[in-house]
Amino acid sequence: MRAILLLMAKDLRERVRDRSLFLLALVVPFGLAAVFSLVFKDVDTQAAPTFALADQDHGQIATAFAEQALRPLERRGVIRLRAAAGEREARAAVERRDADAAYVIPPGFSAAVTSGRPATIQVIGNAEAQIGSFVARSIADAFASEVRYVQVALAVKGSGTMEQAAAVPEPVTVEDLAAERRQLSVSEGFAAGMAVFFLFFTVQFGFSSILDERREGTLARLLAAPVPRAAIAVAKLLNGFVVGVAATAVLLVAAAPLLGARWGHPLGVGLLVVAGTLAATGVMAMVATVATTAERAANLQSIVAVLFGVLGGVFVPIQQLGGVFGALSLVTPHRWFLQGLADLHGEHAPVVAAVPTLALLAFGAVTTGVALLRSGRMVRP
Amino acid sequence: MTTLTAVWAIAWANLVRLFRDRSNLFFVVIFPIVLIAVFGLSFGSGFQPPLGVADADGGPQAARLVRALEQAGHRVVRVGSAEEARDGVERGRLAGALVIPAGYERALRGYVPLTLPYLGRNEPDALQLGAAVRAAVTRVTMPARAAAYARDGSFDELVARAEAAPAPGVTVAASTVGTATALAGMTGYDVAATSQLLLFMFLTSMNGATALIESRQLGVSRRMYATPVTSRGILLGEAAGRVGVALLQGLIIMAGSALLFGVRWGDPAGAVALLLAFALVGGGAGMLLGAAARTGQQATALGLLLALGLAAIGGAMVPLDFFSATLRRLAHLTPHAWALDGFAELLRRDGTLADVLPQLGVLAAYAAAFFALGAWRLRKALTAGP
């Protein structure tokens, strides 16, 4: 035990000296949290798109479009509206990005609708503002189906006015359920995904340094000392674990004020981070035992870390692909870590995410065991 | 021995060192295959986010609604209960879920308005799914609404009349500025595959740093420097092999996902040129890091910060469309944003190689700057005392 602690202290001292400890445990996670807050903070609160409206008709239906389809959204702050004199001006506004999209209502539009002739609303979107353009089209489509309904309703009844038909409420509306549930927000999901992705790189710091020591010849001296070989491997593993927990804690804690992230009960999150770090340490150590030099170990480890990240749904929502990939994602610690954080999210979340934490611990136990069994290959002069 | 031969020799030695390790070879092949499959299934022409539908009513009207959702091209996954739907959304198996409550049929026939709960994931494409579900529900229940207005006959008869009624309606003609591409087939995420590919290429290029540090630590670089090869030559040699591997992987992923799954990358010549330019940028950045960092650990830490940080700022994680104007300007300090602009040009405006020349120029300037700085740092590192 004393040997393990001595070895750990020696390694940590070395890492403090070459500043990599400081970098890995503090600078990089905090830097990432800061960058993410800059980029992702606004993702959950989308800026309202601006639409230009060129009404060249001024008839009843065109007015209804502006007053009933657009104004209520503007009042709710979902969109911003600006008037344009004609098609040319509207198009120019979109080209300049003064507007994300523009509506052009041609002359004679209302007359065409009321007399049952085909009518057209033009939506001009900016190719760079895909989301804004999409919203603009959805609004126009919704209005078009409303017009269609009024025409059908009047045809079925054979009498009545447009207003009377429009006053009938929609028989079925779709309502979004409150978002207070076991699901991370976009920014939280990104931060959590990157935290676990990053974790797999930080823990390499421990075990792989056996290869560095072997190259530098210090491992041979260690082996000449009365220290059991297993102690060397365990000390290195523990170092990776300590740094991994520290870095993940920094990232998650920093993300709270920077991103406004809410992670759930500290106890549950703490256990999850510890279990996740154990899993990451084990997986990366196991990969390192395959390699013969530090460079190859780093190569292999980063490829495994990226592959697991992809399969675990850090970059792409992989669970939705179902089938093989849905099953594959379950053999990655990343998936369980993210699942655990999601389970701890929300008002009525449990204090501890039992299943994900246990799954990660199982990962850690199996992979660390294999790594220690194979470590004899590495811990030699 | 000219510099070019020397560069080639160094590159060759590195490649031999890289591939002597069988496991590396295995991953160089496996990695692209996994990415092709993931990209193909996620961004290919066939991907539809799964929409769960819990039909607790089971009547003909509910069946009609589900059929309409399927006909609108959604991947409808039937789930047993509202609870199961919620669980599927929370676990990420479903992008969204619609619950049709018991009594749906009775409410429609009795002209009693009702609401259907919809659960969406906090993901960009779930927003579009929600909008599409709303539109489909409105469309399907429109005849019932007309029946509710008329009320001069039985429900079934009125619905049949509504369905037969002529309705010229309003056509929405969508266009985008600059081109005649209809917005219809476009989503905000058509650059998703390219942004992910750039992220991964830069990430793996950063690994080149560890290799350069290893050469330095083994004393290989010092011995090379003793030969009549400049530090620039050494650096190019060190980088050439890795850029080649990164580029090959990128091309395999592009071609594979395009051919097998119909993932769009734009004009081939333009796409390959952008990929080459970006591989050079990544290689240059990796070499600069390898020349500047003192140990492998340092290089790994900084490489990660740079690879993930630049990707985030550069719009490879969240589309640039989401950025504010200020942030978009900041994004263009990264090579990622320029490469993404290039791909957007190819994808959204049907651009060709000629249209992405500005972006290629910027990327080439980045690569040149990284290599020049890297060579200068390497010279300092090799000529300084041990």
Side-chain angles (χ1 to χ4, degrees):
Chain A
M1 192 64 222
R2 194 165 156 273
I4 292 179
L5 288 175
L6 273 174
L7 283 169
M8 280 178 71
K10 169 194 85 74
D11 268 5
L12 288 175
R13 256 202 317 277
E14 267 183 21
R15 299 290 163 242
V16 168
R17 221 170 293 143
D18 75 5
R19 289 197 217 92
S20 58
L21 180 67
F22 179 64
L23 272 176
L24 266 181
L26 211 69
V27 176
V28 178
F30 189 80
L32 282 179
V35 166
F36 292 155
S37 72
L38 190 71
V39 175
F40 302 142
K41 208 174 166 66
D42 302 333
V43 173
D44 294 307
T45 51
Q46 267 303 299
T50 304
F51 300 145
L53 174 63
D55 180 359
Q56 300 167 306
D57 175 64
H58 303 293
Q60 179 197 4
I61 310 294
T63 310
F65 176 61
E67 292 306 320
Q68 287 158 32
L70 298 176
R71 295 281 171 216
L73 289 173
E74 185 188 31
R75 278 195 292 274
R76 285 185 11 223
V78 179
I79 61 171
R80 281 199 289 268
L81 279 181
R82 46 179 303 176
E87 179 176 350
R88 181 177 308 214
E89 193 182 310
R91 192 174 284 277
V94 175
E95 269 168 7
R96 284 196 311 270
R97 279 301 292 266
D98 289 342
D100 296 291
Y103 296 108
V104 180
I105 301 177
F109 173 80
S110 299
V113 171
T114 40
S115 62
R117 290 194 315 273
T120 305
I121 293 184
Q122 247 195 323
V123 181
I124 304 165
N126 186 310
E128 313 296 317
Q130 300 259 306
I131 290 114
S133 305
F134 174 79
V135 173
R137 237 190 68 222
S138 303
I139 296 171
D141 284 339
F143 181 73
S145 58
E146 180 73 14
V147 169
R148 208 183 138 78
Y149 151 73
V150 170
Q151 288 173 332
V152 168
L154 293 178
V156 170
K157 187 158 186 169
S159 66
T161 64
M162 288 193 168
E163 288 74 20
Q164 287 168 340
V168 174
E170 288 211 32
V172 178
T173 46
V174 176
E175 70 159 342
D176 265 308
L177 284 198
E180 193 44 70
R181 51 178 183 257
R182 293 176 306 159
Q183 199 194 122
L184 301 173
S185 70
V186 176
S187 54
E188 285 165 348
F190 261 113
M194 288 303 140
V196 65
F197 182 73
F198 174 67
L199 173 62
F200 273 67
F201 287 88
T202 40
V203 297
Q204 296 178 16
F205 165 101
F207 199 68
S208 311
S209 67
I210 296 178
L211 295 165
D212 292 326
E213 296 230 25
R214 200 162 86 203
R215 185 185 55 213
E216 287 153 16
T218 44
L219 188 63
R221 289 182 220 172
L222 265 184
L223 291 170
V227 179
R229 285 184 182 205
I232 298 176
V234 170
K236 300 274 184 195
L237 277 175
L238 280 174
N239 262 347
F241 170 77
V242 169
V243 177
V245 169
T248 313
V250 168
L251 214 161
L252 293 183
V253 171
L258 287 171
L259 279 165
R262 302 204 317 280
W263 297 118
H265 198 288
L267 175 68
V269 176
L271 285 175
L272 194 69
V273 168
V274 167
T277 311
L278 281 172
T281 312
V283 169
M284 287 291 127
M286 198 169 84
V287 173
T289 59
V290 177
T292 46
T293 71
E295 182 203 345
R296 284 178 191 174
N299 258 335
L300 272 187
Q301 286 177 321
S302 61
I303 289 177
V304 169
V306 173
L307 271 184
F308 268 34
V310 173
L311 292 175
V314 168
F315 298 96
V316 189
I318 195 124
Q319 300 92 315
Q320 292 176 22
L321 299 182
V324 177
F325 282 105
L328 269 180
S329 73
L330 293 175
V331 299
T332 65
H334 299 69
R335 165 82 193 269
W336 289 105
F337 185 81
L338 293 175
Q339 187 62 61
L341 278 180
D343 285 352
L344 294 171
H345 199 266
E347 293 285 310
H348 313 291
V351 176
V352 177
V355 175
T357 308
L358 288 173
L360 288 169
L361 284 175
F363 255 105
V366 172
T367 50
T368 310
V370 173
L372 285 175
L373 282 176
R374 294 182 51 102
S375 64
R377 287 181 65 255
M378 289 170 73
V379 189
R380 58 185 168 79
Chain B
M1 172 153 137
T2 61
T3 303
L4 199 63
T5 345
V7 167
W8 175 243
I10 296 170
W12 183 248
N14 270 315
L15 282 178
V16 167
R17 226 168 70 195
L18 181 74
F19 285 109
R20 191 163 290 164
D21 195 343
R22 288 288 146 71
S23 47
N24 266 340
L25 192 61
F26 171 74
F27 278 114
V28 166
V29 177
I30 287 288
F31 186 60
I33 289 177
V34 171
L35 279 194
I36 286 173
V38 171
F39 283 9
L41 293 170
S42 310
F43 312 125
S45 47
F47 180 69
Q48 284 289 344
L51 167 70
V53 176
D55 179 4
D57 182 70
Q61 295 295 331
R64 169 184 282 197
L65 174 58
V66 178
R67 235 191 349 267
L69 287 169
E70 278 169 343
Q71 277 160 356
H74 296 295
R75 197 167 107 217
V76 173
V77 179
R78 288 163 198 267
V79 289
S81 63
E83 205 38 56
E84 204 180 317
R86 172 185 288 270
D87 192 59
V89 173
E90 282 175 353
R91 299 254 172 234
R93 286 192 304 272
L94 303 170
L98 184 70
V99 180
I100 305 175
Y104 177 79
E105 183 87 18
R106 211 169 7 158
L108 269 186
R109 289 180 171 277
Y111 305 124
V112 182
L114 89 163
T115 53
L116 304 188
Y118 173 78
L119 294 135
R121 274 196 70 75
N122 296 326
E123 274 155 19
D125 54 358
L127 167 101
Q128 303 196 5
L129 186 63
V133 167
R134 275 189 174 69
V137 168
T138 304
R139 205 176 50 246
V140 175
T141 55
M142 190 268 279
R145 190 180 172 195
Y149 172 64
R151 301 268 183 121
D152 58 352
S154 77
F155 177 81
D156 288 342
E157 180 213 342
L158 288 171
V159 165
R161 266 182 21 213
E163 279 168 350
V170 170
T171 316
V172 177
S175 60
T176 46
V177 162
T179 62
T181 340
L183 272 169
M186 292 236 270
T187 66
Y189 311 101
D190 55 356
V191 285
T194 50
S195 55
Q196 295 283 323
L197 181 61
L198 295 179
L199 190 159
F200 290 128
M201 274 179 77
F202 206 82
L203 194 66
T204 41
S205 299
M206 282 303 188
N207 280 335
T210 20
L212 184 60
I213 288 174
E214 176 129 330
S215 308
R216 277 165 52 196
Q217 285 173 330
L218 290 172
V220 176
S221 312
R222 206 174 277 276
R223 278 173 243 161
M224 285 180 196
Y225 199 62
T227 64
V229 184
T230 56
S231 60
R232 196 172 328 133
I234 296 174
L235 203 69
L236 282 176
E238 290 279 0
R242 302 199 155 262
V243 169
V245 172
L247 183 64
L248 188 68
Q249 280 190 336
L251 288 176
I252 291 174
I253 292 169
M254 245 187 199
S257 58
L259 296 174
L260 296 172
F261 297 98
V263 176
R264 295 171 57 242
W265 301 92
D267 172 59
V272 168
L274 282 170
L275 206 62
L276 172 64
F278 196 76
L280 287 170
V281 173
M287 289 301 115
L288 173 56
L289 184 64
R294 286 222 321 266
T295 64
Q297 255 89 3
Q298 272 188 11
T300 305
L302 285 173
L304 263 183
L305 178 61
L306 288 171
L308 297 178
L310 290 177
I313 296 180
M317 292 185 188
V318 172
L320 287 167
D321 303 333
F322 280 95
F323 286 24
S324 65
T326 324
L327 200 54
R328 210 172 292 137
R329 270 195 294 278
L330 182 70
H332 282 86
L333 292 176
T334 69
H336 297 66
W338 289 96
L340 282 170
D341 280 351
F343 276 112
E345 188 71 36
L346 298 179
L347 278 168
R348 296 178 180 177
R349 307 187 180 192
D350 295 326
T352 57
L353 182 57
D355 296 313
V356 293
L357 285 177
Q359 285 85 2
L360 287 172
V362 173
L363 290 174
Y366 267 109
F370 285 151
F371 274 112
L373 277 173
W376 170 74
R377 284 290 319 188
L378 185 67
R379 190 164 51 245
K380 271 186 66 167
L382 295 180
T383 51

mmCIF file of all heavy atoms in Angstrom, chain B residues 277 281 332-339 356-370:
data_model
loop_
_atom_site.group_PDB
_atom_site.id
_atom_site.type_symbol
_atom_site.label_atom_id
_atom_site.label_comp_id
_atom_site.label_asym_id
_atom_site.label_seq_id
_atom_site.Cartn_x
_atom_site.Cartn_y
_atom_site.Cartn_z
ATOM 1 N N ALA B 277 -7.677 20.150 -48.367
ATOM 2 C CA ALA B 277 -7.230 21.369 -47.704
ATOM 3 C C ALA B 277 -7.367 21.228 -46.189
ATOM 4 O O ALA B 277 -6.476 21.610 -45.429
ATOM 5 C CB ALA B 277 -8.034 22.564 -48.201
ATOM 6 N N VAL B 281 -4.640 21.285 -43.083
ATOM 7 C CA VAL B 281 -4.763 22.157 -41.909
ATOM 8 C C VAL B 281 -4.596 21.324 -40.640
ATOM 9 O O VAL B 281 -3.845 21.684 -39.734
ATOM 10 C CB VAL B 281 -6.126 22.884 -41.890
ATOM 11 C CG1 VAL B 281 -6.306 23.645 -40.590
ATOM 12 C CG2 VAL B 281 -6.236 23.836 -43.063
ATOM 13 N N HIS B 332 -15.383 32.308 -37.580
ATOM 14 C CA HIS B 332 -14.539 32.312 -38.779
ATOM 15 C C HIS B 332 -13.063 32.550 -38.485
ATOM 16 O O HIS B 332 -12.269 32.699 -39.393
ATOM 17 C CB HIS B 332 -15.090 33.307 -39.803
ATOM 18 C CG HIS B 332 -16.272 32.730 -40.518
ATOM 19 N ND1 HIS B 332 -17.551 32.827 -40.024
ATOM 20 C CD2 HIS B 332 -16.362 31.992 -41.643
ATOM 21 C CE1 HIS B 332 -18.377 32.193 -40.828
ATOM 22 N NE2 HIS B 332 -17.687 31.669 -41.819
ATOM 23 N N LEU B 333 -12.718 32.544 -37.185
ATOM 24 C CA LEU B 333 -11.300 32.475 -36.838
ATOM 25 C C LEU B 333 -10.832 31.019 -36.903
ATOM 26 O O LEU B 333 -9.649 30.746 -36.886
ATOM 27 C CB LEU B 333 -11.070 33.013 -35.424
ATOM 28 C CG LEU B 333 -11.300 34.510 -35.238
ATOM 29 C CD1 LEU B 333 -11.138 34.896 -33.774
ATOM 30 C CD2 LEU B 333 -10.321 35.298 -36.102
ATOM 31 N N THR B 334 -11.773 30.085 -36.954
ATOM 32 C CA THR B 334 -11.396 28.666 -36.997
ATOM 33 C C THR B 334 -11.438 28.162 -38.435
ATOM 34 O O THR B 334 -12.265 28.613 -39.228
ATOM 35 C CB THR B 334 -12.386 27.806 -36.190
ATOM 36 O OG1 THR B 334 -13.644 27.798 -36.883
ATOM 37 C CG2 THR B 334 -12.594 28.335 -34.796
ATOM 38 N N PRO B 335 -10.546 27.209 -38.759
ATOM 39 C CA PRO B 335 -10.611 26.629 -40.110
ATOM 40 C C PRO B 335 -11.922 25.860 -40.337
ATOM 41 O O PRO B 335 -12.400 25.773 -41.465
ATOM 42 C CB PRO B 335 -9.404 25.698 -40.158
ATOM 43 C CG PRO B 335 -8.940 25.522 -38.759
ATOM 44 C CD PRO B 335 -9.412 26.710 -37.981
ATOM 45 N N HIS B 336 -12.491 25.330 -39.248
ATOM 46 C CA HIS B 336 -13.717 24.541 -39.388
ATOM 47 C C HIS B 336 -14.826 25.339 -40.056
ATOM 48 O O HIS B 336 -15.512 24.843 -40.953
ATOM 49 C CB HIS B 336 -14.219 24.074 -38.024
ATOM 50 C CG HIS B 336 -13.278 23.167 -37.314
ATOM 51 N ND1 HIS B 336 -12.050 23.572 -36.869
ATOM 52 C CD2 HIS B 336 -13.384 21.864 -36.961
ATOM 53 C CE1 HIS B 336 -11.448 22.557 -36.283
ATOM 54 N NE2 HIS B 336 -12.232 21.501 -36.326
ATOM 55 N N ALA B 337 -15.004 26.583 -39.612
ATOM 56 C CA ALA B 337 -16.095 27.395 -40.151
ATOM 57 C C ALA B 337 -15.910 27.613 -41.649
ATOM 58 O O ALA B 337 -16.865 27.562 -42.422
ATOM 59 C CB ALA B 337 -16.168 28.731 -39.418
ATOM 60 N N TRP B 338 -14.661 27.831 -42.061
ATOM 61 C CA TRP B 338 -14.411 28.044 -43.497
ATOM 62 C C TRP B 338 -14.704 26.779 -44.295
ATOM 63 O O TRP B 338 -15.305 26.837 -45.373
ATOM 64 C CB TRP B 338 -12.974 28.500 -43.720
ATOM 65 C CG TRP B 338 -12.758 29.889 -43.226
ATOM 66 C CD1 TRP B 338 -12.262 30.262 -42.013
ATOM 67 C CD2 TRP B 338 -13.085 31.111 -43.911
ATOM 68 N NE1 TRP B 338 -12.251 31.625 -41.910
ATOM 69 C CE2 TRP B 338 -12.737 32.176 -43.054
ATOM 70 C CE3 TRP B 338 -13.635 31.388 -45.167
ATOM 71 C CZ2 TRP B 338 -12.928 33.507 -43.415
ATOM 72 C CZ3 TRP B 338 -13.824 32.715 -45.530
ATOM 73 C CH2 TRP B 338 -13.465 33.758 -44.657
ATOM 74 N N ALA B 339 -14.247 25.643 -43.761
ATOM 75 C CA ALA B 339 -14.513 24.385 -44.460
ATOM 76 C C ALA B 339 -16.019 24.130 -44.545
ATOM 77 O O ALA B 339 -16.539 23.710 -45.585
ATOM 78 C CB ALA B 339 -13.810 23.234 -43.757
ATOM 79 N N VAL B 356 -15.798 27.315 -54.429
ATOM 80 C CA VAL B 356 -15.228 27.206 -53.087
ATOM 81 C C VAL B 356 -13.761 27.625 -53.064
ATOM 82 O O VAL B 356 -13.073 27.407 -52.072
ATOM 83 C CB VAL B 356 -15.380 25.777 -52.496
ATOM 84 C CG1 VAL B 356 -16.850 25.470 -52.252
ATOM 85 C CG2 VAL B 356 -14.760 24.737 -53.388
ATOM 86 N N LEU B 357 -13.287 28.262 -54.129
ATOM 87 C CA LEU B 357 -11.895 28.711 -54.153
ATOM 88 C C LEU B 357 -11.556 29.651 -52.992
ATOM 89 O O LEU B 357 -10.489 29.520 -52.392
ATOM 90 C CB LEU B 357 -11.569 29.370 -55.509
ATOM 91 C CG LEU B 357 -11.397 28.378 -56.674
ATOM 92 C CD1 LEU B 357 -11.144 29.115 -57.977
ATOM 93 C CD2 LEU B 357 -10.268 27.387 -56.394
ATOM 94 N N PRO B 358 -12.445 30.603 -52.629
ATOM 95 C CA PRO B 358 -12.108 31.464 -51.486
ATOM 96 C C PRO B 358 -11.846 30.655 -50.216
ATOM 97 O O PRO B 358 -10.856 30.884 -49.515
ATOM 98 C CB PRO B 358 -13.340 32.349 -51.315
ATOM 99 C CG PRO B 358 -14.147 32.200 -52.539
ATOM 100 C CD PRO B 358 -13.712 30.982 -53.265
ATOM 101 N N GLN B 359 -12.754 29.701 -49.944
ATOM 102 C CA GLN B 359 -12.582 28.883 -48.727
ATOM 103 C C GLN B 359 -11.308 28.044 -48.813
ATOM 104 O O GLN B 359 -10.574 27.916 -47.836
ATOM 105 C CB GLN B 359 -13.783 27.953 -48.521
ATOM 106 C CG GLN B 359 -15.032 28.646 -48.018
ATOM 107 C CD GLN B 359 -15.866 29.246 -49.143
ATOM 108 O OE1 GLN B 359 -15.522 29.104 -50.311
ATOM 109 N NE2 GLN B 359 -16.951 29.913 -48.791
ATOM 110 N N LEU B 360 -11.043 27.501 -50.014
ATOM 111 C CA LEU B 360 -9.825 26.701 -50.183
ATOM 112 C C LEU B 360 -8.593 27.562 -49.929
ATOM 113 O O LEU B 360 -7.625 27.118 -49.309
ATOM 114 C CB LEU B 360 -9.769 26.107 -51.597
ATOM 115 C CG LEU B 360 -10.739 24.950 -51.868
ATOM 116 C CD1 LEU B 360 -10.719 24.577 -53.346
ATOM 117 C CD2 LEU B 360 -10.375 23.734 -51.023
ATOM 118 N N GLY B 361 -8.649 28.832 -50.401
ATOM 119 C CA GLY B 361 -7.527 29.741 -50.192
ATOM 120 C C GLY B 361 -7.267 29.974 -48.716
ATOM 121 O O GLY B 361 -6.128 29.907 -48.244
ATOM 122 N N VAL B 362 -8.358 30.236 -47.964
ATOM 123 C CA VAL B 362 -8.204 30.482 -46.530
ATOM 124 C C VAL B 362 -7.630 29.255 -45.836
ATOM 125 O O VAL B 362 -6.709 29.354 -45.019
ATOM 126 C CB VAL B 362 -9.558 30.873 -45.901
ATOM 127 C CG1 VAL B 362 -9.443 30.952 -44.385
ATOM 128 C CG2 VAL B 362 -10.045 32.194 -46.460
ATOM 129 N N LEU B 363 -8.160 28.077 -46.199
ATOM 130 C CA LEU B 363 -7.675 26.845 -45.569
ATOM 131 C C LEU B 363 -6.204 26.616 -45.896
ATOM 132 O O LEU B 363 -5.416 26.224 -45.029
ATOM 133 C CB LEU B 363 -8.515 25.650 -46.028
ATOM 134 C CG LEU B 363 -9.947 25.615 -45.486
ATOM 135 C CD1 LEU B 363 -10.735 24.479 -46.120
ATOM 136 C CD2 LEU B 363 -9.950 25.455 -43.966
ATOM 137 N N ALA B 364 -5.823 26.894 -47.155
ATOM 138 C CA ALA B 364 -4.425 26.717 -47.538
ATOM 139 C C ALA B 364 -3.536 27.661 -46.738
ATOM 140 O O ALA B 364 -2.441 27.282 -46.289
ATOM 141 C CB ALA B 364 -4.254 26.970 -49.030
ATOM 142 N N ALA B 365 -4.021 28.895 -46.520
ATOM 143 C CA ALA B 365 -3.247 29.861 -45.738
ATOM 144 C C ALA B 365 -3.059 29.359 -44.302
ATOM 145 O O ALA B 365 -1.971 29.452 -43.735
ATOM 146 C CB ALA B 365 -3.949 31.214 -45.734
ATOM 147 N N TYR B 366 -4.139 28.806 -43.731
ATOM 148 C CA TYR B 366 -4.041 28.227 -42.389
ATOM 149 C C TYR B 366 -2.966 27.141 -42.349
ATOM 150 O O TYR B 366 -2.121 27.112 -41.459
ATOM 151 C CB TYR B 366 -5.378 27.593 -41.977
ATOM 152 C CG TYR B 366 -6.282 28.507 -41.198
ATOM 153 C CD1 TYR B 366 -7.439 29.013 -41.769
ATOM 154 C CD2 TYR B 366 -5.984 28.837 -39.881
ATOM 155 C CE1 TYR B 366 -8.284 29.852 -41.051
ATOM 156 C CE2 TYR B 366 -6.813 29.669 -39.159
ATOM 157 C CZ TYR B 366 -7.959 30.174 -39.743
ATOM 158 O OH TYR B 366 -8.782 30.985 -39.032
ATOM 159 N N ALA B 367 -3.060 26.219 -43.336
ATOM 160 C CA ALA B 367 -2.119 25.098 -43.357
ATOM 161 C C ALA B 367 -0.687 25.613 -43.459
ATOM 162 O O ALA B 367 0.201 25.176 -42.718
ATOM 163 C CB ALA B 367 -2.447 24.158 -44.510
ATOM 164 N N ALA B 368 -0.468 26.576 -44.362
ATOM 165 C CA ALA B 368 0.880 27.117 -44.555
ATOM 166 C C ALA B 368 1.388 27.757 -43.268
ATOM 167 O O ALA B 368 2.537 27.553 -42.861
ATOM 168 C CB ALA B 368 0.872 28.133 -45.694
ATOM 169 N N ALA B 369 0.511 28.530 -42.621
ATOM 170 C CA ALA B 369 0.915 29.209 -41.386
ATOM 171 C C ALA B 369 1.273 28.185 -40.308
ATOM 172 O O ALA B 369 2.294 28.324 -39.616
ATOM 173 C CB ALA B 369 -0.204 30.113 -40.898
ATOM 174 N N PHE B 370 0.437 27.151 -40.178
ATOM 175 C CA PHE B 370 0.717 26.129 -39.160
ATOM 176 C C PHE B 370 2.051 25.443 -39.425
ATOM 177 O O PHE B 370 2.846 25.218 -38.513
ATOM 178 C CB PHE B 370 -0.399 25.074 -39.128
ATOM 179 C CG PHE B 370 -1.657 25.547 -38.466
ATOM 180 C CD1 PHE B 370 -2.895 25.043 -38.843
ATOM 181 C CD2 PHE B 370 -1.610 26.498 -37.453
ATOM 182 C CE1 PHE B 370 -4.061 25.472 -38.221
ATOM 183 C CE2 PHE B 370 -2.770 26.936 -36.830
ATOM 184 C CZ PHE B 370 -3.992 26.420 -37.222
#
